[in-house]
Amino acid sequence: MAMNTGGRLVAGSHNRNEFVLINADEIGRIKAVHELSGQTCQICGDEVEIINEEPFVACNECGLPVCRTCYEYERKEGTQACPQCKTRYKRIKGFARVEGDEDEDGIDDLENEFDYVKSEHLGFTQTGGAVGSTYGGLAGSATTSTHDSSQGVDIPLLTYGEEDVEIAHNQNAIIVPPFAGHVNGIHGTPPGTTASLHPRPMVPEKDLAVYGYGSVAWKDRMEEWRRRQNEKLQVVKHQGDGGDFGADLPMMDEGRQPLSRKLPIASSKINPYRMVIILRLAVLGLFFHYRIRHPVPGAYGLWMTSVICEIWFAASWILDQFPKWCPIERETYLDRLSLRYEKEGKPSELADVDVFVSTVDPMKEPPLITANTVLSILASDYPVDKVSCYVSDDGAAMLTFEALSETSEFARKWVPFSKKFNIEPRAPEWYFSQKIDYLKNKVHPSFVRERRAMKREYEEFKVRINRLVAMAEKVPEEGWTMQDGTPWPGNNVRDHPGMIQVFLGHEGVRDIEGNELPSLVYVSREKRPGFDHHKKAGAMNSLIRVSAVLSNAPYLLNVDCDHYINNSKALREAMCFLMDPTSGKKVCYVQFPQRFDGIDHHDRYSNRNVVFFDINMKGLDGLQGPIYVGTGCVFRRQALYGFDAPAKKKAPSKTCNCWPKWCCLCCGSRKNKKGKGKKDKNKNKKSKHKEASKQVHALETIEEGIEAVSTVDRPPISQEKLEKKFGQSPVFVTSTLLEAGGMPNPISSTSLLKEAIHVISCGYEDKTEWGKEVGWIYGSVTEDILTGFKMHCHGWRSVYCMPKRPAFKGSAPINLSDRLHQVLRWALGSVEIFLSKHCPIWYGYGGGLKWLERFSYINSVVYPWTSIPLLVYCTLPAICLLTGKFIVPEISNYASIIFIALFSTIAVTGILEMQWGGVGIDDWWRNEQFWVIGGVSSHLFALFQGLLKVLAGVSTNFTVTSKGGDEDGGFTELYLFKWTSLLIPPTTLLIINIVAVVVGVADAVNNGYDSWGPLFGRLFFAIWVIMHLYPFLKGLMGKQQGVPTVIIIWSILLSSILTLVWVRINPFVSRDGPVLEICGLNCDN
């Protein structure tokens, strides 16, 4: 953490030029930034050497930190002047004299003044197959590192591979001294022989620097490669029972292996699945051919309506089915990640991660739930100095602030306990509530005692949190006041300054064992009337900016306040994909599946959503990656900034003279002709550096042990464009250019705090691309779908990670009304995207979005429109039973075969999906049921609300889903009945179809045996609807003995309407009057 507030709350407004520190002993007193132990070279980024316990100083005028290597290079090959003050570098004792140096008296340095060094100390030395490339004067050392023959690795000296674009074309080269050692058959000048000033090159037409020998890039890469080889060539003693298994085996190969791999679905499962899909397509074609060619006489309207609905359902099935064509699974190797980035005795090289936790209303999102999420993050199995947790309080609630203060104190005890005993999960509420034997596999003698003490501490912590909640229920008239008497800045939720509080991560705050803790920062962005704050998406974008100013980790984890880390190695699982040297550069995010606690065993309302997370998402992972679902996702920061994915370099096109020029016009000959002059102009300038780059690339390939992927660098962007894109914060704009993360040049704490307040001000995003091309995208309440869609359009791919132990777990609304409101919000967001310019039907062509991935996104925004044909189709059975008509004519043998084939392929498709997806039939059937329940209720309302919002400007309120969980146990929340207008359409469908079944059966009984045959088709149709709505019926009934009054009133009202309609239709009486038959009796007498 680059900022230290001394544990005080920072509040302010950039627009109003306000900057206040609260709870400070001396108002306005800012502690200095913690001094670093060393300095960093401002040219190459390496650490400045320490000489005689003092850092090396190249320029005595301005003191710009420059390392010895860059100092000597600038004197020999560069401008010979300091890059900052432009003062000419003076010769320092120990370095060779260069042209232009002044005569210096009193300096006895003849050994180094004229750079006379022994030949065996310079140039390239080859020993036991290992090649060195140390230039003595440049490195400041007279010795060349050598390798033992048993550890030597043959390195090809000339390997013409791909060009390494990391080397600048304007980089100069240092010529190898004429008395260099022998290399690959090229011998240096023997002692006593007069050497020419310039060595004879291998090819007289080329400069020696073309081959890359002696270049700064080649030398640095070579030395770095040799150092890593020494580190990786460690051995492990394998002690077994057999006498021959004690050999030393190298760990280098294991450390070079990929960090993850794809696991395709077995061909015995996926091939039949694909065959059934194709067969189902063919059967659908035959089905519609029959349906369209055979209308129903006397029921043309019913037939036409049913055919239109069925065509829509078929199109929806295609959009949903084909993205599941290539499902895959993935496997990670955490041990290889540690071998590569965590070497014994050295600091961890794992990337930093900023974790975002978002919360709004502490009454609907209890602080105890948020506290458990934060504690699980702070206790995760990841280096503590590389984790920063940012909590966004978009409601500016003092309850959340005080709860985080208590959480930070309890974390000082909980974090060392959880890491000491390696417990899972590391959220105390869920750990202590586990009904398992906590003594299993625990051999530490103090575990039982410390666990009991920690549970007692947690119970006391809960009491303090619950006390805060009880106090917050009664808000004082004058508003809340802090401990020092300062009014709480967020008393007015809609009009308050931005607030930042660093609870953990500053000096002096450590755990009870004296160890460092991860950073914990409270953030509440500024809100003022008249500004559109864009709900959750705006809060997340504020966190992106403030985290970039304070820590600037290259990766971001986004979780909801109720989604705690259930697997402490979740961050490491994500790093296996994001930090993989082969494929990680193109991964924009790693999405984890959502798993939930506190759901009833039968999952009545399909809260687990297993079919989507275990089937659909696996299918998308085989294409361009899963969609972003709003939580449990680790992002690459550069992808959120709206940059394009790194593109692979195209292989050079082959040319020949055997075809006339006119046949190549379609291949872009004009374009090549246009740029020919410019290319020829820079050809000579770039040629030697290209050759040098080839060898650097070859060395890098050997280092990784795998084929490297060459990518094209992004073109430079002017400062003006950067500010227009990211805003008017120089610190933040500078941080966006650091792909590897980290902080730019250190600045004072005061300036850092002001920048942090600046980037969360309410007007910062004005006239920028935030919410349009940068960060979370605005325009929908489901910003997650839109944000992931934009990244995929930029050519990025995502990854779906499903570790054996679920990475995250959260709470879900198990009550029927809350569940329908949650689905309503999701569907409303999809309608908003469908009616916006970002609709995947017409947006993003020409980018990097694949076609089947586009199908998935189209399906994700089109599905609410299915509610209209679904509602109509579920009404058709009742109409058919009441009118005595049907949507299908009398079925022939041909039609029977088609219907049986269609139903069979539907069933087999579902069975095969359950097989390769690992989904049970209960979960699959619950998903089908709630698809109908949500479709005729939430999706229908979302469709009309979205149309009103987009076309008429009628906005809808954002309803936060309650995340309190089932605290009383026994699933009491499941049986709680809450009336909402969303219950009207499915209730009406239930009553209509039940009444229609009764009427149809009564009609068949009245008309005799012949009427039962045609009745079976209509009854099956109606019972199909009732079975899908059965969970909804159970939710209406609840756990109580009687039926709710509102249901009785609604039923009576609908029954009365249906009775009047029934009398008007009167299906039992012929339209021509009663049929009179002659009975044979003479009634006149």
Side-chain angles (χ1 to χ4, degrees):
M1 178 66 63
M3 183 190 67
N4 181 11
T5 63
R8 295 161 290 179
L9 173 67
V10 180
S13 173
H14 178 77
N15 297 333
R16 303 186 180 187
N17 197 22
E18 298 173 354
F19 186 72
V20 182
L21 278 86
I22 304 175
N23 290 339
D25 298 333
E26 300 177 14
I27 301 299
R29 180 173 177 265
I30 308 294
K31 292 184 179 180
V33 180
H34 178 63
E35 295 291 339
L36 299 176
S37 58
Q39 292 179 323
T40 303
C41 176
Q42 300 301 304
I43 298 177
C44 67
D46 293 340
E47 292 187 2
V48 178
E49 297 86 348
I50 303 298
I51 302 177
N52 297 329
E53 299 183 356
E54 293 184 0
F56 174 75
V57 180
C59 178
N60 293 323
E61 297 295 331
C62 65
L64 178 70
V66 175
C67 64
R68 293 169 57 95
T69 304
C70 293
Y71 163 77
E72 185 167 4
Y73 174 76
E74 286 294 329
R75 279 174 45 81
K76 289 186 176 182
E77 303 294 332
T79 60
Q80 300 184 355
C82 173
Q84 180 168 285
C85 65
K86 308 303 180 183
T87 303
R88 177 183 172 84
Y89 278 135
K90 296 182 178 180
R91 189 180 77 84
I92 301 176
K93 184 177 180 181
F95 292 90
R97 183 184 296 276
V98 297
E99 184 179 356
D101 284 346
E102 299 177 356
D103 294 334
E104 301 171 354
D105 299 331
I107 298 181
D108 185 12
D109 193 21
L110 296 178
E111 181 181 356
N112 300 291
E113 186 170 357
F114 298 103
D115 203 12
Y116 292 146
V117 188
K118 295 181 179 180
S119 60
E120 63 268 16
H121 293 164
L122 294 172
F124 299 85
T125 305
Q126 186 171 359
T127 304
V131 179
S133 61
T134 305
Y135 180 32
L138 180 65
S141 174
T143 61
T144 302
S145 61
T146 60
H147 299 284
D148 186 72
S149 60
S150 62
Q151 297 180 352
V153 180
D154 291 333
I155 305 171
L157 297 179
L158 292 176
T159 304
Y160 296 100
E162 295 287 341
E163 178 186 355
D164 192 346
V165 296
E166 294 181 1
I167 301 178
H169 293 296
N170 59 354
Q171 193 170 10
N172 298 321
I174 298 177
I175 305 301
V176 179
F179 34 80
H182 61 278
V183 179
N184 200 20
I186 303 174
H187 301 277
T189 306
T193 305
T194 305
S196 60
L197 257 199
H198 300 286
R200 181 177 179 273
M202 300 178 191
V203 182
E205 290 80 9
K206 291 185 179 181
D207 184 16
L208 184 62
V210 168
Y211 298 98
Y213 298 130
S215 69
V216 176
W218 174 258
K219 171 191 173 300
D220 293 342
R221 294 292 181 87
M222 191 66 186
E223 291 180 351
E224 180 68 14
W225 177 84
R226 186 189 297 114
R227 182 184 65 81
R228 292 185 180 181
Q229 293 305 307
N230 286 331
E231 294 174 355
K232 291 178 181 178
L233 284 172
Q234 304 175 20
V235 295
V236 180
K237 297 280 188 178
H238 292 272
Q239 300 177 355
D241 296 336
D244 296 336
F245 294 94
D248 295 343
L249 300 177
M251 298 172 60
M252 178 180 63
D253 291 339
E254 183 71 14
R256 289 180 176 182
Q257 295 293 325
L259 304 180
S260 63
R261 67 165 179 164
K262 295 180 181 179
L263 299 176
I265 305 299
S267 58
S268 59
K269 296 180 180 179
I270 197 62
N271 288 340
Y273 175 68
R274 292 170 178 167
M275 292 174 60
V276 172
I277 292 175
I278 296 174
L279 179 61
R280 185 173 172 181
L281 269 178
V283 172
L284 270 177
L286 295 175
F287 171 78
F288 284 116
H289 178 267
Y290 171 80
R291 292 283 283 132
I292 295 173
R293 294 287 298 274
H294 294 79
V296 181
Y300 189 83
L302 291 177
W303 167 79
M304 179 62 71
T305 303
S306 63
V307 170
I308 293 174
C309 294
E310 289 162 359
I311 292 175
W312 181 272
F313 296 151
S316 299
W317 171 77
I318 291 175
L319 291 176
D320 178 70
Q321 187 66 66
F322 278 91
K324 295 182 283 188
W325 185 261
C326 302
I328 63 169
E329 295 178 347
R330 295 183 185 269
E331 185 179 39
T332 56
Y333 302 102
L334 299 180
D335 52 345
R336 295 178 184 176
L337 182 75
S338 298
L339 283 174
R340 182 180 290 270
Y341 296 108
E342 292 182 302
K343 298 179 177 62
E344 186 177 357
K346 295 193 175 183
S348 174
E349 297 179 5
L350 290 173
D352 293 5
V353 181
D354 291 339
V355 186
F356 296 167
V357 181
S358 58
T359 181
V360 180
D361 188 353
M363 293 304 173
K364 290 187 176 181
E365 300 168 329
L368 187 62
I369 301 295
T370 304
N372 273 270
T373 300
V374 171
L375 289 170
S376 69
I377 294 169
L378 299 178
S380 60
D381 184 9
Y382 207 77
V384 293
D385 60 326
K386 296 181 178 295
V387 177
S388 299
C389 179
Y390 294 84
V391 180
S392 170
D393 179 18
D394 220 30
M398 189 173 180
L399 172 59
T400 304
F401 178 83
E402 293 292 344
L404 275 184
S405 178
E406 293 286 348
T407 303
S408 63
E409 287 297 320
F410 179 72
R412 299 179 61 245
K413 306 172 184 177
W414 172 254
V415 172
F417 167 78
S418 58
K419 290 188 175 182
K420 179 179 180 181
F421 299 106
N422 196 26
I423 63 173
E424 295 285 359
R426 299 188 179 180
E429 180 69 24
W430 304 106
Y431 170 69
F432 290 121
S433 63
Q434 291 181 117
K435 297 180 181 179
I436 60 174
D437 183 11
Y438 62 85
L439 298 178
K440 186 177 181 181
N441 299 328
K442 301 295 181 181
V443 295
H444 202 284
S446 63
F447 173 69
V448 177
R449 181 179 66 257
E450 293 192 28
R451 184 185 185 278
R452 290 173 180 171
M454 184 53 60
K455 188 173 183 180
R456 193 180 308 112
E457 292 283 352
Y458 179 65
E459 293 298 331
E460 295 176 359
F461 169 72
K462 289 175 64 176
V463 170
R464 294 194 296 270
I465 295 295
N466 292 332
R467 176 176 171 271
L468 292 174
V469 174
M471 291 175 58
E473 292 179 353
K474 298 180 180 179
V475 181
E477 295 182 359
E478 65 278 4
W480 297 107
T481 305
M482 304 185 70
Q483 294 181 355
D484 61 348
T486 306
W488 172 246
N491 279 326
N492 189 341
V493 178
R494 295 178 177 82
D495 187 4
H496 64 83
M499 294 177 282
I500 297 176
Q501 168 78 54
V502 180
F503 286 108
L504 299 176
H506 52 272
E507 294 179 3
V509 180
R510 295 179 176 267
D511 62 25
I512 57 175
E513 297 182 359
N515 299 320
E516 186 180 357
L517 287 169
S519 302
L520 175 60
V521 183
Y522 169 88
V523 179
S524 181
R525 56 179 174 149
E526 181 185 14
K527 286 190 176 181
R528 301 296 180 188
F531 288 89
D532 188 357
H533 303 291
H534 302 289
K535 302 181 176 67
K536 180 183 176 181
M540 300 307 296
N541 285 338
S542 296
L543 286 183
I544 292 178
R545 296 191 295 270
V546 74
S547 64
V549 172
L550 301 184
S551 54
N552 196 33
Y555 303 108
L556 313 172
L557 168 61
N558 150 239
V559 293
D560 289 340
C561 64
D562 63 318
H563 273 71
Y564 64 90
I565 296 181
N566 183 64
N567 185 346
S568 61
K569 299 184 183 295
L571 293 177
R572 294 178 179 269
E573 295 277 355
M575 292 302 113
C576 285
F577 300 103
L578 293 167
M579 297 185 69
D580 193 295
T582 55
S583 59
K585 292 182 179 181
K586 292 202 69 174
V587 177
C588 57
Y589 61 82
V590 177
Q591 179 65 62
F592 292 89
Q594 292 186 19
R595 301 292 187 240
F596 301 98
D597 290 312
I599 298 177
D600 61 298
H601 178 68
H602 299 289
D603 193 14
R604 179 184 296 176
Y605 307 123
S606 189
N607 285 280
R608 292 191 179 94
N609 216 353
V610 179
V611 173
F612 173 76
F613 286 111
D614 290 7
I615 295 180
N616 294 64
M617 296 289 266
K618 286 181 181 178
L620 291 176
D621 199 19
L623 302 177
Q624 198 174 346
I627 63 175
Y628 168 44
V629 296
T631 183
C633 188
V634 181
F635 288 95
R636 183 183 299 274
R637 186 183 285 269
Q638 290 292 312
L640 280 170
Y641 285 159
F643 293 120
D644 291 333
K648 291 184 180 180
K649 292 188 66 177
K650 295 183 179 179
S653 59
K654 297 181 180 180
T655 59
C656 63
N657 298 324
C658 58
W659 296 95
K661 294 182 179 181
W662 57 264
C663 70
C664 300
L665 291 177
C666 59
C667 301
S669 60
R670 294 181 179 179
K671 181 178 179 181
N672 295 334
K673 190 174 182 180
K674 182 178 180 181
K676 185 176 180 181
K678 187 175 181 180
K679 290 182 180 178
D680 292 341
K681 185 177 179 180
N682 298 327
K683 183 176 181 180
N684 296 330
K685 183 178 180 181
K686 295 181 180 180
S687 59
K688 62 172 65 179
H689 302 291
K690 286 185 178 180
E691 297 292 338
S693 299
K694 291 177 181 177
Q695 293 202 19
V696 176
H697 174 82
L699 179 61
E700 201 171 55
T701 304
I702 297 170
E703 175 197 351
E704 300 297 345
I706 46 182
E707 184 179 356
V709 178
S710 182
T711 58
V712 180
D713 285 343
R714 289 194 297 263
I717 307 176
S718 65
Q719 183 72 16
E720 182 181 356
K721 289 184 178 180
L722 287 173
E723 291 181 353
K724 185 177 180 180
K725 181 176 183 179
F726 296 112
Q728 300 293 325
S729 172
V731 176
F732 174 72
V733 170
T734 303
S735 70
T736 61
L737 303 178
L738 305 175
E739 294 188 21
M743 301 301 296
N745 297 332
I747 59 177
S748 65
S749 293
T750 305
S751 301
L752 201 64
L753 291 172
K754 289 183 177 180
E755 284 297 323
I757 292 295
H758 178 201
V759 296
I760 62 173
S761 60
C762 56
Y764 181 84
E765 297 180 354
D766 292 347
K767 298 180 181 180
T768 66
E769 294 186 8
W770 283 100
K772 302 172 185 176
E773 297 293 335
V774 180
W776 270 258
I777 306 302
Y778 303 150
S780 172
V781 294
T782 53
E783 71 289 331
D784 44 8
I785 296 178
L786 204 51
T787 303
F789 173 64
K790 293 281 285 189
M791 291 184 187
H792 285 140
C793 287
H794 281 285
W796 296 94
R797 72 152 294 126
S798 55
V799 170
Y800 194 52
C801 182
M802 295 183 64
K804 293 182 179 179
R805 180 180 180 86
F808 303 92
K809 279 192 174 182
S811 59
I814 62 175
N815 178 264
L816 175 60
S817 300
D818 292 340
R819 172 68 167 148
L820 290 177
H821 276 291
Q822 182 186 55
V823 176
L824 170 67
R825 186 173 71 250
W826 296 343
L828 177 60
S830 296
V831 175
E832 291 174 341
I833 298 174
F834 181 86
L835 299 174
S836 70
K837 69 174 184 177
H838 293 118
C839 179
I841 297 177
W842 50 73
Y843 182 85
Y845 290 96
L849 190 65
K850 296 183 179 180
W851 277 100
L852 288 181
E853 190 81 12
R854 183 179 296 277
F855 274 22
S856 174
Y857 276 111
I858 292 175
N859 184 52
S860 66
V861 300
V862 166
Y863 76 90
W865 296 84
T866 309
S867 59
I868 295 178
L870 183 61
L871 180 65
V872 173
Y873 208 71
C874 290
T875 310
L876 290 179
I879 297 176
C880 292
L881 286 169
L882 292 175
T883 60
K885 300 175 182 178
F886 200 39
I887 60 176
V888 179
E890 290 189 18
I891 300 178
S892 62
N893 293 335
Y894 172 74
S896 300
I897 295 174
I898 292 178
F899 278 92
I900 292 174
L902 179 61
F903 293 142
S904 299
T905 53
I906 292 174
V908 173
T909 303
I911 292 172
L912 293 177
E913 280 186 352
M914 288 186 283
Q915 186 180 18
W916 63 255
V919 177
I921 189 170
D922 289 340
D923 292 320
W924 180 84
W925 175 237
R926 290 287 180 263
N927 182 77
E928 294 294 317
Q929 288 178 317
F930 199 78
W931 176 75
V932 176
I933 295 172
V936 299
S937 58
S938 299
H939 299 173
L940 184 66
F941 277 74
L943 182 59
F944 287 108
Q945 287 186 12
L947 291 172
L948 288 174
K949 182 177 182 180
V950 174
L951 302 180
V954 179
S955 60
T956 56
N957 294 326
F958 177 78
T959 304
V960 179
T961 306
S962 177
K963 299 179 176 64
D966 189 29
E967 299 179 358
D968 299 332
F971 303 110
T972 55
E973 186 75 15
L974 175 66
Y975 305 106
L976 184 62
F977 180 81
K978 301 178 182 178
W979 174 254
T980 173
S981 57
L982 296 176
L983 302 177
I984 295 177
T987 303
T988 305
L989 282 177
L990 263 175
I991 295 175
I992 289 176
N993 280 277
I994 292 174
V995 171
V997 169
V998 174
V999 171
V1001 173
D1003 185 24
V1005 171
N1006 186 48
N1007 291 335
Y1009 176 79
D1010 293 338
S1011 61
W1012 283 99
L1015 179 65
F1016 281 134
R1018 305 184 188 101
L1019 282 179
F1020 175 79
F1021 200 6
I1023 292 174
W1024 176 86
V1025 176
I1026 295 173
M1027 288 178 61
H1028 279 78
L1029 294 176
Y1030 177 69
F1032 178 81
L1033 179 61
K1034 291 184 67 176
L1036 291 180
M1037 301 300 294
K1039 201 175 182 179
Q1040 48 196 339
Q1041 300 294 332
V1043 181
T1045 305
V1046 66
I1047 300 299
I1048 296 176
I1049 296 175
W1050 185 249
S1051 301
I1052 293 174
L1053 179 61
L1054 283 178
S1055 300
S1056 303
I1057 297 174
L1058 288 174
T1059 303
L1060 296 174
V1061 175
W1062 182 263
V1063 173
R1064 178 69 181 87
I1065 296 175
N1066 196 10
F1068 296 129
V1069 180
S1070 174
R1071 296 297 180 186
D1072 299 330
V1075 179
L1076 301 178
E1077 295 182 358
I1078 299 175
C1079 61
L1081 297 176
N1082 189 3
C1083 299
D1084 296 334
N1085 295 329

